[in-house]
Amino acid sequence: MKIFNFTIIKLTICLVLGILIGYFFFIPLPTVLCFLLAVLLLLVIAYFVARKQFFKTIWFGLLAFMLMTIVGVLTVNIHNEKSFDKHYTQHILNEKETTNTITFRIREVLKPNAYYDKYVIDILQVNAQQTIGKSLLNIKKDSLQLALRVDAVFSTKSSFEDLGYPLNPYQFDYQNYLEKKYIYHQLSLKQSELFPISNDTHTLFGYANSIRESINLKLKRYHFKPDELAVINALFLGQRQDLSKEVYNDYKNAGAIHILAISGLHIGIILILLSWVFKPIERLKHGKLLKTILLLFLLWNFAVIAGLSASVTRAVTMFSIVTIAANLKRPTNIYNTLAISVFLILLFKPLFIFDVGFQLSYMAVFAIVTIDPILYKLWQPQNKLVDIYWHTITVSIAAQFGIAPLLLYYFHQFAGLFLLSNIIIIPLLAIILGFGIVIILMASLNLLPQFLADILGLIISSMNYVMNYISKQEVFIFNDIPFNIWYVLASYLLIISLIKTFKKWNYANLKWILFAIISIQCAFIYTNYSKSSNELIVFHKSRFSMIGNTNKNTLKITHDLDSLSILKNSTIKNYTVGNFINTIENAELQSVYVLKNKKILLVVDSLNTYNIKSFEPDYLLLRQSPKININRLIDSIHPKYIIADGSNYKSYVLQWKNICKKRKLPFHDTHEKGAFVIKY
């Protein structure tokens, strides 16, 4: 069956194309609307013309696809609140450090870090002006203060801060990540700087949070361990903020992190359990319709309680379509169902297309429905228990084919024991979910016996222990694998070609495999050709100096960190993985680096190297806060560019920056502008 025979799949592809165009290319809303009306008019004309033609033409289809592409562009524009007059960015002054009177409502609680509790907030008012828009809120941790509640409204006087961009190459771009969630600024405050206005629940998010808090309050009475309660929150409530770093890494390294993210697997099991519970309703008049409405109501309530993440929204939307089709007694095609769910989700959340969880979810499901039947046919055991485990193996392998390129691209890691983890956990997941839901309901009604709570705690602890044991088999965990977007595209082309060939062995499909192999070779050649073979980079590291000199596939790194700090530092790892570097060597700090025809002088006050007057360097690096007269130094050696790394005092850097500005000499502060790269 050719999936492109389904119209909804073609329309969904056009919608995705339109979203990508709308995101990467700014097209004003009036222009988009003009194009939309023009194409819509042409489509109507083409429809009436096509009705009178005996031989069909391609024009109606082309116009329909063009219209859907424009709808994708329009969707991006409509959901971008920043372009609206009421968005808070239109009502704040441009000057930095300007204080605004801000009223906001807590929207979402995020995972805290070592110093701050983090929240997503809705900006309700700025300087007495009603506004819309989201921002990030950082509250300095205080053990004496309670966490802020969702829907609580506060007022404060503060300035909006930039989110900050990555200061070193290939570092995670948190600013870009938040902007795709329509978050453009942050507030950093102490809780004492907040003036409470209201603590009432008003929104859907507030009610969902109240339900989660009530459930957790009831569960805490049964003395679950912190890690047990954190996993229960992840499995049943979709909240992973309380997961410890150790537990999260155990599941990730064991290749079972998807267990802790509510997805199609969880929703499918829950739907089967609910369908079984409500089976008697079908005996009533209009019982099937009533059952369908009840199932949809419960599924979407669960999605809201679980936080409406990309994976939850995708799964609930897809299974909602399946439930409706079953009630209408309409045959369902999984590809059609997937396309409809993508279409509906992206109409309301267009930037979900960039969400890693969204991409992994759909690629996993697509791979399972495509590859699993091929693998399952290889052997069909008669024993039911063996069949369950064999099907678990085929599903796990199929899903891994779908998500492996994306995992390597985003995380540069591959868990070799994913199959073992899934064989142990997935067959038991239905029991765990069913038992856990009963436990939560009984606890909420104050009917839960302690021994049942102890059984659930034992199950969760056992699962954590197994994941911990598997994750310690480090020989099967492959880290720091370089993988770029070209490798991803070539890998998926090869996977699709192999699927086509296994389904039907012929010369045409064999040509596709050969084409995919050539594409992989081209990706390797292009990557090797395009990467910079020689560059010197001054990394940014607060209070320390880190200098790297890359020559072909070797990085010579100089730093003044201790051995423990350099092991924990991810800057070098990110750079080597992103730049496909094979060898890392430690090197001694030099006073002068000669890079072909360019020279860089490293100034260290204790050595007084700035007294060297025999050459005029192109670049001058200031490190470890040298006590020098910067004007005299410039007059002495006439540098063309001055760089200050993160090891310098900020007061010194500000003084140097002002002097360079007066003398119209280029100045680069790594704390402000990030790492400085010299290609040679």
mmCIF file of all heavy atoms in Angstrom, residues 32-66:
data_model
loop_
_atom_site.group_PDB
_atom_site.id
_atom_site.type_symbol
_atom_site.label_atom_id
_atom_site.label_comp_id
_atom_site.label_asym_id
_atom_site.label_seq_id
_atom_site.Cartn_x
_atom_site.Cartn_y
_atom_site.Cartn_z
ATOM 1 N N VAL A 32 0.668 37.263 3.390
ATOM 2 C CA VAL A 32 0.193 35.876 3.464
ATOM 3 C C VAL A 32 -1.304 35.811 3.180
ATOM 4 O O VAL A 32 -1.775 34.941 2.431
ATOM 5 C CB VAL A 32 0.502 35.279 4.855
ATOM 6 C CG1 VAL A 32 -0.036 33.855 4.951
ATOM 7 C CG2 VAL A 32 1.994 35.279 5.128
ATOM 8 N N LEU A 33 -2.071 36.740 3.757
ATOM 9 C CA LEU A 33 -3.514 36.752 3.546
ATOM 10 C C LEU A 33 -3.870 37.012 2.087
ATOM 11 O O LEU A 33 -4.814 36.417 1.548
ATOM 12 C CB LEU A 33 -4.164 37.804 4.453
ATOM 13 C CG LEU A 33 -4.156 37.497 5.956
ATOM 14 C CD1 LEU A 33 -4.677 38.686 6.760
ATOM 15 C CD2 LEU A 33 -4.978 36.255 6.251
ATOM 16 N N CYS A 34 -3.118 37.897 1.441
ATOM 17 C CA CYS A 34 -3.362 38.177 0.017
ATOM 18 C C CYS A 34 -3.125 36.919 -0.826
ATOM 19 O O CYS A 34 -3.934 36.587 -1.708
ATOM 20 C CB CYS A 34 -2.464 39.313 -0.466
ATOM 21 S SG CYS A 34 -2.945 40.938 0.156
ATOM 22 N N PHE A 35 -2.017 36.232 -0.565
ATOM 23 C CA PHE A 35 -1.725 34.990 -1.283
ATOM 24 C C PHE A 35 -2.812 33.944 -1.015
ATOM 25 O O PHE A 35 -3.239 33.219 -1.917
ATOM 26 C CB PHE A 35 -0.359 34.434 -0.865
ATOM 27 C CG PHE A 35 0.787 34.984 -1.657
ATOM 28 C CD1 PHE A 35 1.676 35.895 -1.102
ATOM 29 C CD2 PHE A 35 0.983 34.601 -2.978
ATOM 30 C CE1 PHE A 35 2.732 36.403 -1.832
ATOM 31 C CE2 PHE A 35 2.042 35.102 -3.718
ATOM 32 C CZ PHE A 35 2.912 36.012 -3.149
ATOM 33 N N LEU A 36 -3.248 33.875 0.249
ATOM 34 C CA LEU A 36 -4.262 32.893 0.621
ATOM 35 C C LEU A 36 -5.572 33.128 -0.134
ATOM 36 O O LEU A 36 -6.158 32.197 -0.704
ATOM 37 C CB LEU A 36 -4.509 32.963 2.129
ATOM 38 C CG LEU A 36 -5.512 31.957 2.703
ATOM 39 C CD1 LEU A 36 -4.926 30.554 2.676
ATOM 40 C CD2 LEU A 36 -5.904 32.334 4.128
ATOM 41 N N LEU A 37 -6.019 34.376 -0.180
ATOM 42 C CA LEU A 37 -7.269 34.700 -0.874
ATOM 43 C C LEU A 37 -7.148 34.452 -2.365
ATOM 44 O O LEU A 37 -8.083 33.941 -3.013
ATOM 45 C CB LEU A 37 -7.653 36.161 -0.599
ATOM 46 C CG LEU A 37 -8.062 36.478 0.851
ATOM 47 C CD1 LEU A 37 -8.264 37.979 1.042
ATOM 48 C CD2 LEU A 37 -9.338 35.729 1.218
ATOM 49 N N ALA A 38 -5.988 34.819 -2.946
ATOM 50 C CA ALA A 38 -5.779 34.629 -4.386
ATOM 51 C C ALA A 38 -5.812 33.145 -4.759
ATOM 52 O O ALA A 38 -6.492 32.739 -5.718
ATOM 53 C CB ALA A 38 -4.454 35.257 -4.800
ATOM 54 N N VAL A 39 -5.088 32.320 -3.983
ATOM 55 C CA VAL A 39 -5.045 30.884 -4.276
ATOM 56 C C VAL A 39 -6.401 30.247 -4.015
ATOM 57 O O VAL A 39 -6.845 29.355 -4.758
ATOM 58 C CB VAL A 39 -3.935 30.194 -3.446
ATOM 59 C CG1 VAL A 39 -3.982 28.685 -3.638
ATOM 60 C CG2 VAL A 39 -2.570 30.738 -3.835
ATOM 61 N N LEU A 40 -7.089 30.705 -2.972
ATOM 62 C CA LEU A 40 -8.424 30.172 -2.681
ATOM 63 C C LEU A 40 -9.393 30.468 -3.822
ATOM 64 O O LEU A 40 -10.197 29.602 -4.219
ATOM 65 C CB LEU A 40 -8.935 30.776 -1.374
ATOM 66 C CG LEU A 40 -10.276 30.245 -0.849
ATOM 67 C CD1 LEU A 40 -10.196 28.739 -0.592
ATOM 68 C CD2 LEU A 40 -10.692 30.987 0.419
ATOM 69 N N LEU A 41 -9.322 31.666 -4.368
ATOM 70 C CA LEU A 41 -10.167 32.032 -5.504
ATOM 71 C C LEU A 41 -9.854 31.165 -6.722
ATOM 72 O O LEU A 41 -10.766 30.654 -7.392
ATOM 73 C CB LEU A 41 -9.967 33.520 -5.835
ATOM 74 C CG LEU A 41 -10.787 34.076 -7.009
ATOM 75 C CD1 LEU A 41 -12.278 33.956 -6.728
ATOM 76 C CD2 LEU A 41 -10.402 35.528 -7.285
ATOM 77 N N LEU A 42 -8.566 30.986 -6.993
ATOM 78 C CA LEU A 42 -8.168 30.131 -8.119
ATOM 79 C C LEU A 42 -8.618 28.687 -7.897
ATOM 80 O O LEU A 42 -9.009 27.996 -8.851
ATOM 81 C CB LEU A 42 -6.645 30.182 -8.292
ATOM 82 C CG LEU A 42 -6.061 31.509 -8.823
ATOM 83 C CD1 LEU A 42 -4.540 31.463 -8.787
ATOM 84 C CD2 LEU A 42 -6.546 31.773 -10.244
ATOM 85 N N LEU A 43 -8.572 28.238 -6.639
ATOM 86 C CA LEU A 43 -8.996 26.873 -6.330
ATOM 87 C C LEU A 43 -10.494 26.685 -6.595
ATOM 88 O O LEU A 43 -10.916 25.660 -7.149
ATOM 89 C CB LEU A 43 -8.670 26.555 -4.867
ATOM 90 C CG LEU A 43 -8.956 25.111 -4.408
ATOM 91 C CD1 LEU A 43 -8.027 24.130 -5.116
ATOM 92 C CD2 LEU A 43 -8.796 24.992 -2.895
ATOM 93 N N VAL A 44 -11.296 27.675 -6.223
ATOM 94 C CA VAL A 44 -12.743 27.600 -6.472
ATOM 95 C C VAL A 44 -13.027 27.563 -7.971
ATOM 96 O O VAL A 44 -13.849 26.770 -8.456
ATOM 97 C CB VAL A 44 -13.466 28.790 -5.802
ATOM 98 C CG1 VAL A 44 -14.932 28.830 -6.225
ATOM 99 C CG2 VAL A 44 -13.345 28.709 -4.289
ATOM 100 N N ILE A 45 -12.321 28.420 -8.716
ATOM 101 C CA ILE A 45 -12.490 28.437 -10.181
ATOM 102 C C ILE A 45 -12.082 27.097 -10.772
ATOM 103 O O ILE A 45 -12.791 26.527 -11.623
ATOM 104 C CB ILE A 45 -11.656 29.584 -10.798
ATOM 105 C CG1 ILE A 45 -12.207 30.940 -10.345
ATOM 106 C CG2 ILE A 45 -11.650 29.486 -12.323
ATOM 107 C CD1 ILE A 45 -11.322 32.117 -10.713
ATOM 108 N N ALA A 46 -10.941 26.562 -10.308
ATOM 109 C CA ALA A 46 -10.454 25.276 -10.819
ATOM 110 C C ALA A 46 -11.435 24.154 -10.502
ATOM 111 O O ALA A 46 -11.605 23.218 -11.295
ATOM 112 C CB ALA A 46 -9.081 24.963 -10.221
ATOM 113 N N TYR A 47 -12.094 24.251 -9.342
ATOM 114 C CA TYR A 47 -13.064 23.219 -8.960
ATOM 115 C C TYR A 47 -14.245 23.179 -9.928
ATOM 116 O O TYR A 47 -14.650 22.110 -10.404
ATOM 117 C CB TYR A 47 -13.553 23.485 -7.538
ATOM 118 C CG TYR A 47 -14.703 22.598 -7.117
ATOM 119 C CD1 TYR A 47 -14.512 21.252 -6.828
ATOM 120 C CD2 TYR A 47 -15.997 23.127 -7.023
ATOM 121 C CE1 TYR A 47 -15.573 20.441 -6.452
ATOM 122 C CE2 TYR A 47 -17.064 22.319 -6.648
ATOM 123 C CZ TYR A 47 -16.844 20.980 -6.360
ATOM 124 O OH TYR A 47 -17.895 20.177 -5.993
ATOM 125 N N PHE A 48 -14.804 24.363 -10.231
ATOM 126 C CA PHE A 48 -15.958 24.399 -11.131
ATOM 127 C C PHE A 48 -15.569 24.034 -12.566
ATOM 128 O O PHE A 48 -16.351 23.413 -13.292
ATOM 129 C CB PHE A 48 -16.614 25.780 -11.086
ATOM 130 C CG PHE A 48 -17.410 26.011 -9.832
ATOM 131 C CD1 PHE A 48 -16.941 26.860 -8.840
ATOM 132 C CD2 PHE A 48 -18.619 25.360 -9.629
ATOM 133 C CE1 PHE A 48 -17.667 27.065 -7.680
ATOM 134 C CE2 PHE A 48 -19.354 25.564 -8.461
ATOM 135 C CZ PHE A 48 -18.878 26.413 -7.483
ATOM 136 N N VAL A 49 -14.358 24.404 -12.975
ATOM 137 C CA VAL A 49 -13.882 24.023 -14.309
ATOM 138 C C VAL A 49 -13.686 22.512 -14.384
ATOM 139 O O VAL A 49 -14.060 21.861 -15.369
ATOM 140 C CB VAL A 49 -12.572 24.760 -14.653
ATOM 141 C CG1 VAL A 49 -11.950 24.195 -15.935
ATOM 142 C CG2 VAL A 49 -12.821 26.254 -14.804
ATOM 143 N N ALA A 50 -13.093 21.921 -13.318
ATOM 144 C CA ALA A 50 -12.807 20.484 -13.305
ATOM 145 C C ALA A 50 -14.087 19.656 -13.337
ATOM 146 O O ALA A 50 -14.109 18.550 -13.874
ATOM 147 C CB ALA A 50 -11.977 20.136 -12.063
ATOM 148 N N ARG A 51 -15.184 20.193 -12.754
ATOM 149 C CA ARG A 51 -16.450 19.455 -12.747
ATOM 150 C C ARG A 51 -16.992 19.231 -14.151
ATOM 151 O O ARG A 51 -17.681 18.248 -14.417
ATOM 152 C CB ARG A 51 -17.493 20.218 -11.922
ATOM 153 C CG ARG A 51 -17.232 20.158 -10.430
ATOM 154 C CD ARG A 51 -18.294 20.906 -9.676
ATOM 155 N NE ARG A 51 -19.616 20.303 -9.861
ATOM 156 C CZ ARG A 51 -20.751 20.834 -9.396
ATOM 157 N NH1 ARG A 51 -20.709 21.977 -8.732
ATOM 158 N NH2 ARG A 51 -21.904 20.232 -9.598
ATOM 159 N N LYS A 52 -16.669 20.152 -15.058
ATOM 160 C CA LYS A 52 -17.222 20.072 -16.415
ATOM 161 C C LYS A 52 -16.282 19.352 -17.378
ATOM 162 O O LYS A 52 -16.619 19.179 -18.547
ATOM 163 C CB LYS A 52 -17.502 21.481 -16.932
ATOM 164 C CG LYS A 52 -18.551 22.221 -16.112
ATOM 165 C CD LYS A 52 -18.786 23.621 -16.649
ATOM 166 C CE LYS A 52 -19.836 24.359 -15.808
ATOM 167 N NZ LYS A 52 -20.075 25.738 -16.315
ATOM 168 N N GLN A 53 -15.067 18.992 -16.887
ATOM 169 C CA GLN A 53 -14.091 18.335 -17.762
ATOM 170 C C GLN A 53 -14.191 16.821 -17.638
ATOM 171 O O GLN A 53 -14.319 16.284 -16.536
ATOM 172 C CB GLN A 53 -12.664 18.790 -17.420
ATOM 173 C CG GLN A 53 -12.379 20.237 -17.797
ATOM 174 C CD GLN A 53 -10.965 20.635 -17.411
ATOM 175 O OE1 GLN A 53 -10.408 20.132 -16.454
ATOM 176 N NE2 GLN A 53 -10.393 21.554 -18.181
ATOM 177 N N PHE A 54 -14.127 16.151 -18.784
ATOM 178 C CA PHE A 54 -14.146 14.686 -18.777
ATOM 179 C C PHE A 54 -12.796 14.137 -18.327
ATOM 180 O O PHE A 54 -12.722 13.193 -17.564
ATOM 181 C CB PHE A 54 -14.495 14.160 -20.183
ATOM 182 C CG PHE A 54 -14.614 12.665 -20.234
ATOM 183 C CD1 PHE A 54 -15.744 12.023 -19.745
ATOM 184 C CD2 PHE A 54 -13.575 11.888 -20.749
ATOM 185 C CE1 PHE A 54 -15.842 10.639 -19.778
ATOM 186 C CE2 PHE A 54 -13.668 10.512 -20.783
ATOM 187 C CZ PHE A 54 -14.820 9.881 -20.309
ATOM 188 N N PHE A 55 -11.707 14.761 -18.839
ATOM 189 C CA PHE A 55 -10.349 14.359 -18.440
ATOM 190 C C PHE A 55 -9.861 15.301 -17.340
ATOM 191 O O PHE A 55 -9.868 16.521 -17.500
ATOM 192 C CB PHE A 55 -9.385 14.413 -19.640
ATOM 193 C CG PHE A 55 -9.715 13.417 -20.710
ATOM 194 C CD1 PHE A 55 -10.355 13.835 -21.877
ATOM 195 C CD2 PHE A 55 -9.412 12.077 -20.552
ATOM 196 C CE1 PHE A 55 -10.660 12.913 -22.864
ATOM 197 C CE2 PHE A 55 -9.718 11.160 -21.532
ATOM 198 C CZ PHE A 55 -10.349 11.575 -22.694
ATOM 199 N N LYS A 56 -9.466 14.711 -16.235
ATOM 200 C CA LYS A 56 -9.022 15.498 -15.090
ATOM 201 C C LYS A 56 -7.612 16.046 -15.319
ATOM 202 O O LYS A 56 -6.767 15.402 -15.931
ATOM 203 C CB LYS A 56 -9.031 14.640 -13.816
ATOM 204 C CG LYS A 56 -10.398 14.030 -13.496
ATOM 205 C CD LYS A 56 -11.455 15.096 -13.270
ATOM 206 C CE LYS A 56 -12.803 14.489 -12.942
ATOM 207 N NZ LYS A 56 -13.854 15.520 -12.815
ATOM 208 N N THR A 57 -7.362 17.248 -14.796
ATOM 209 C CA THR A 57 -6.042 17.869 -14.891
ATOM 210 C C THR A 57 -5.417 17.949 -13.499
ATOM 211 O O THR A 57 -6.068 17.673 -12.485
ATOM 212 C CB THR A 57 -6.151 19.285 -15.491
ATOM 213 O OG1 THR A 57 -6.933 20.103 -14.599
ATOM 214 C CG2 THR A 57 -6.812 19.223 -16.858
ATOM 215 N N ILE A 58 -4.171 18.374 -13.477
ATOM 216 C CA ILE A 58 -3.440 18.422 -12.201
ATOM 217 C C ILE A 58 -3.621 19.755 -11.477
ATOM 218 O O ILE A 58 -3.171 19.902 -10.341
ATOM 219 C CB ILE A 58 -1.938 18.172 -12.426
ATOM 220 C CG1 ILE A 58 -1.321 19.298 -13.281
ATOM 221 C CG2 ILE A 58 -1.703 16.805 -13.044
ATOM 222 C CD1 ILE A 58 0.183 19.265 -13.358
ATOM 223 N N TRP A 59 -4.298 20.731 -12.121
ATOM 224 C CA TRP A 59 -4.292 22.085 -11.576
ATOM 225 C C TRP A 59 -5.036 22.193 -10.246
ATOM 226 O O TRP A 59 -4.604 22.899 -9.338
ATOM 227 C CB TRP A 59 -4.888 23.073 -12.596
ATOM 228 C CG TRP A 59 -4.064 23.138 -13.838
ATOM 229 C CD1 TRP A 59 -4.380 22.705 -15.085
ATOM 230 C CD2 TRP A 59 -2.729 23.650 -13.923
ATOM 231 N NE1 TRP A 59 -3.341 22.903 -15.958
ATOM 232 C CE2 TRP A 59 -2.309 23.491 -15.264
ATOM 233 C CE3 TRP A 59 -1.842 24.232 -13.013
ATOM 234 C CZ2 TRP A 59 -1.057 23.885 -15.711
ATOM 235 C CZ3 TRP A 59 -0.596 24.634 -13.461
ATOM 236 C CH2 TRP A 59 -0.222 24.450 -14.798
ATOM 237 N N PHE A 60 -6.166 21.498 -10.127
ATOM 238 C CA PHE A 60 -6.913 21.564 -8.869
ATOM 239 C C PHE A 60 -6.067 21.016 -7.709
ATOM 240 O O PHE A 60 -6.009 21.610 -6.629
ATOM 241 C CB PHE A 60 -8.223 20.763 -8.989
ATOM 242 C CG PHE A 60 -9.033 20.777 -7.730
ATOM 243 C CD1 PHE A 60 -9.831 21.868 -7.409
ATOM 244 C CD2 PHE A 60 -8.980 19.709 -6.826
ATOM 245 C CE1 PHE A 60 -10.572 21.885 -6.232
ATOM 246 C CE2 PHE A 60 -9.717 19.721 -5.652
ATOM 247 C CZ PHE A 60 -10.518 20.815 -5.357
ATOM 248 N N GLY A 61 -5.400 19.884 -7.931
ATOM 249 C CA GLY A 61 -4.557 19.300 -6.894
ATOM 250 C C GLY A 61 -3.393 20.205 -6.520
ATOM 251 O O GLY A 61 -3.094 20.391 -5.332
ATOM 252 N N LEU A 62 -2.745 20.791 -7.536
ATOM 253 C CA LEU A 62 -1.612 21.679 -7.269
ATOM 254 C C LEU A 62 -2.043 22.901 -6.463
ATOM 255 O O LEU A 62 -1.346 23.329 -5.534
ATOM 256 C CB LEU A 62 -0.969 22.119 -8.584
ATOM 257 C CG LEU A 62 -0.123 21.070 -9.317
ATOM 258 C CD1 LEU A 62 0.366 21.634 -10.656
ATOM 259 C CD2 LEU A 62 1.073 20.647 -8.473
ATOM 260 N N LEU A 63 -3.196 23.480 -6.835
ATOM 261 C CA LEU A 63 -3.695 24.649 -6.104
ATOM 262 C C LEU A 63 -4.068 24.281 -4.668
ATOM 263 O O LEU A 63 -3.853 25.070 -3.741
ATOM 264 C CB LEU A 63 -4.901 25.243 -6.833
ATOM 265 C CG LEU A 63 -4.580 25.984 -8.139
ATOM 266 C CD1 LEU A 63 -5.860 26.304 -8.904
ATOM 267 C CD2 LEU A 63 -3.804 27.271 -7.848
ATOM 268 N N ALA A 64 -4.620 23.077 -4.477
ATOM 269 C CA ALA A 64 -4.964 22.623 -3.123
ATOM 270 C C ALA A 64 -3.713 22.481 -2.265
ATOM 271 O O ALA A 64 -3.690 22.903 -1.094
ATOM 272 C CB ALA A 64 -5.718 21.298 -3.195
ATOM 273 N N PHE A 65 -2.669 21.904 -2.837
ATOM 274 C CA PHE A 65 -1.417 21.747 -2.097
ATOM 275 C C PHE A 65 -0.779 23.112 -1.822
ATOM 276 O O PHE A 65 -0.228 23.352 -0.740
ATOM 277 C CB PHE A 65 -0.452 20.854 -2.867
ATOM 278 C CG PHE A 65 -0.955 19.441 -3.046
ATOM 279 C CD1 PHE A 65 -0.661 18.716 -4.195
ATOM 280 C CD2 PHE A 65 -1.730 18.837 -2.070
ATOM 281 C CE1 PHE A 65 -1.133 17.426 -4.367
ATOM 282 C CE2 PHE A 65 -2.208 17.543 -2.220
ATOM 283 C CZ PHE A 65 -1.912 16.841 -3.378
ATOM 284 N N MET A 66 -0.867 24.028 -2.785
ATOM 285 C CA MET A 66 -0.327 25.374 -2.587
ATOM 286 C C MET A 66 -1.093 26.099 -1.484
ATOM 287 O O MET A 66 -0.500 26.791 -0.643
ATOM 288 C CB MET A 66 -0.418 26.168 -3.894
ATOM 289 C CG MET A 66 0.318 27.501 -3.862
ATOM 290 S SD MET A 66 0.145 28.407 -5.413
ATOM 291 C CE MET A 66 0.934 27.272 -6.556
#
